Amino acid sequence: MTSDHTEATSGVLLRSDGAVDDETLAYARTKIDALVGRPGLPAVTGEVHLARAAAPHAGHPWSAAADLRVGGRQVVATAEEATGTEVVDRLQDRLRRQADKAAARVRDDVRRTAAPPWRGGDGRPAPDTGPGGAAQGSGVT
């Protein structure tokens, strides 16, 4: 059984699959809202999926996956644990680290200065270089 639980306070959709109780969903929503509502963090949108395996013999029956956009940067995290609160805590820790990195990259992009005209700049900020180090779509071969 899949269900959607949305809140108007954040742009993050919380979905559940399997026998996820309301208490665990409320705990997950509290943790997600705490992560998303931190001061200095750009706008966050995306989806968090919380699932509980139907098999009682599974070693880690709880799993969680998040796919978020933090200020235009993608943040993906997954976790598997034995209980619902443990998986939510583990996911929040992983998301916090990655969201902090994404927010720092967004701040760096904003602070990037333009190249002066004598270096071929036109007064606009430099293009996003991406992971390869060269300007993407620059046409240089």
Side-chain angles (χ1 to χ4, degrees):
M1 175 176 152
T2 302
S3 60
D4 296 335
H5 300 276
T6 59
E7 297 261 338
T9 58
S10 70
V12 178
L13 176 68
L14 177 62
R15 304 182 115 200
S16 63
D17 191 23
V20 179
D21 56 313
D22 291 335
E23 189 175 300
T24 303
L25 286 172
Y27 183 73
R29 176 50 65 191
T30 302
K31 291 290 192 168
I32 291 167
D33 286 343
L35 175 75
V36 170
R38 291 192 348 241
L41 199 64
V44 179
T45 59
E47 182 177 311
V48 175
H49 187 86
L50 191 62
R52 183 174 184 186
H57 62 278
H60 295 287
W62 288 88
S63 64
D67 184 9
L68 305 178
R69 300 288 293 175
V70 178
R73 300 265 182 182
Q74 186 175 20
V75 173
V76 177
T78 61
E80 290 184 357
E81 289 296 330
T83 67
T85 55
E86 288 175 355
V87 78
V88 170
D89 289 340
R90 175 73 51 102
L91 186 71
Q92 184 196 24
D93 289 342
R94 291 178 179 175
L95 283 174
R96 178 179 290 128
R97 282 191 303 267
Q98 291 187 23
D100 288 344
K101 288 179 184 179
R105 288 184 189 122
V106 169
R107 284 190 299 271
D108 289 346
D109 289 347
V110 170
R111 286 188 293 218
R112 187 174 295 167
T113 60
W118 60 87
R119 293 203 181 215
D122 58 0
R124 290 184 290 172
D128 185 18
T129 58
Q136 296 179 6
S138 63
V140 178
T141 56

